[in-house]
Amino acid sequence: MTAQLISGKAVAKTKKEEMKAVVENLKEQGIHPGLAVILVGENPASMSYVKGKIKDCGEVGIHSELIRFPDTISESELLQAIRKLNEANAIHGILVQLPLPDHISDRKVIETIAPEKDVDGFHPISLGKMMTNQETFVPCTPAGIVEMLKAIGCPVAGKHVVIVGRSNIVGKPAGQLFLNLDATVTTCHSKTKNLSQYTKQADILVVAVGRAGLIGAEDVKEGAVVIDVGMNRNDQGKLVGDVKFDEVKEKAGFITPVPGGVGPMTRTMLLENTIKAAKWLKQNER
Ligand code: GUN
């Protein structure tokens, strides 16, 4: 069997067209969604991600502000900048690009962002709400994965979803999100013994580890949906995922490519969360 490709790029394009209309409509009601992105230092990958996020905002008509600091900024100065944005009327969403320099606590930064502007969905209040199945900001990568599955008409309820990776950004929230959607969820990680025994049971396999070639055809069930969150550079400097794409595509039912799969969807869900933040703020003014 040759898998059908799930083009995150194409799904993202459609969603962005829809969002553009929503933003226009909000503007007519006097709501102009705004996102502030904070970048500390000059990590080339972070710079490239941030540039993409700002460009996306422009495409759908969301106001964006890029705020850059040198990596010598103190933790308290950064927290002060976030507090200022918490109060800024033109800003509905705040994103601080991770990773941060070692002298700055990710935890303190995330917890300083006002929960109502937490468009990354990383604040403990957002995560706690997701855990108890309340309306909140869902972290962008897990939300993007679910949107892609919706786009291909893949139901989630009752499916066995196996997630490889337990990061706070992807693996853990993805597990919770799928559980909320009535899937049976197994989470695997670096200490899991005999990983293949689990991955082979997956109806939907989500791989988010950051290790090129971790999952091969022998690790996948015939016809499974394979979502590759990995972003690695191979020896030739080419961007590759965690899944051996060429061999797994011969066995899976659906597969996401890297690049052009999960990445564009993550970016798109940030826009969606920013629009949600702007709508909520307006509702709470009433
Ligand atoms: N670094 C890598 N991915 C992300 C993300 O989704 N949000 C933030 N803030 N930083 C990241």
Side-chain angles (χ1 to χ4, degrees):
M1 156 170 218
T2 300
Q4 285 190 50
L5 211 62
I6 311 176
S7 170
K9 204 172 158 185
V11 180
K13 189 163 179 268
T14 309
K15 282 200 74 73
K16 280 199 277 189
E17 290 298 327
E18 289 165 9
M19 279 189 244
K20 206 171 157 183
V22 172
V23 171
E24 260 170 41
N25 188 270
L26 284 173
K27 284 181 186 169
E28 279 163 19
Q29 297 170 52
I31 309 167
H32 193 155
L35 173 71
V37 178
I38 297 182
L39 175 63
V40 178
E42 312 225 328
N43 176 319
S46 293
M47 280 162 71
S48 153
Y49 291 144
V50 161
K51 219 171 111 188
K53 288 166 186 176
I54 299 289
K55 179 171 162 270
D56 289 343
C57 283
E59 279 174 24
V60 301
I62 291 178
H63 163 73
S64 66
E65 292 178 20
L66 172 59
I67 300 156
R68 294 194 62 176
F69 294 111
D71 57 12
T72 49
I73 188 175
S74 69
E75 185 180 83
S76 64
E77 281 173 305
L78 181 59
L79 298 183
Q80 202 43 46
I82 295 169
R83 287 189 195 104
K84 213 170 127 194
L85 290 169
N86 285 343
E87 301 300 322
N89 287 333
I91 295 301
H92 303 94
I94 303 170
L95 178 141
V96 181
Q97 186 67 25
L98 302 175
L100 289 164
D102 290 345
H103 67 278
I104 299 175
S105 154
D106 289 6
R107 188 180 60 77
K108 278 193 199 161
V109 164
I110 290 167
E111 291 182 10
T112 299
I113 296 171
E116 63 274 16
K117 296 192 178 185
D118 174 36
V119 284
D120 253 330
F122 294 166
H123 194 290
I125 289 184
S126 306
L127 292 168
K129 281 188 173 175
M130 186 171 70
M131 189 141 213
T132 48
N133 215 350
Q134 299 177 61
E135 180 72 25
T136 188
F137 297 110
V138 174
C140 300
T141 300
I145 293 170
V146 167
E147 281 300 317
M148 276 197 289
L149 294 173
K150 261 191 216 160
I152 61 164
C154 173
V156 169
K159 293 284 174 67
H160 187 187
V161 179
V162 177
I163 297 165
V164 188
R166 56 172 159 182
S167 69
N168 289 338
I169 294 182
V170 183
K172 275 190 232 168
Q176 188 59 55
L177 188 58
F178 278 114
L179 196 57
N180 291 354
L181 295 169
D182 298 325
T184 301
V185 178
T186 300
T187 303
C188 302
H189 46 80
S190 54
K191 299 281 191 297
T192 299
K193 294 197 176 96
N194 194 356
L195 177 65
S196 191
Q197 163 197 334
Y198 298 100
T199 58
K200 272 191 296 209
Q201 291 178 33
D203 300 313
I204 299 169
L205 178 62
V206 178
V207 192
V209 173
R211 184 135 47 97
L214 178 71
I215 299 294
E218 71 281 8
D219 305 310
V220 174
K221 184 167 78 174
E222 187 85 35
V225 177
V226 179
I227 309 288
D228 190 352
V229 185
M231 291 264 249
N232 315 290
R233 294 269 168 202
N234 70 7
D235 295 341
Q236 290 85 49
K238 194 177 154 228
L239 201 59
V240 294
D242 292 349
V243 174
K244 290 178 184 160
F245 182 82
D246 288 340
E247 59 177 70
V248 173
K249 81 172 188 331
E250 298 305 323
K251 196 167 180 191
F254 288 90
I255 188 167
T256 60
V258 176
V262 174
M265 288 306 294
T266 297
R267 280 167 55 175
T268 302
M269 298 321 285
L270 175 66
L271 304 175
E272 188 145 298
N273 278 349
T274 304
I275 293 170
K276 199 183 214 182
K279 282 183 184 165
W280 279 351
L281 208 78
K282 187 70 185 172
Q283 272 165 12
N284 291 334
E285 274 173 9
R286 285 190 194 125

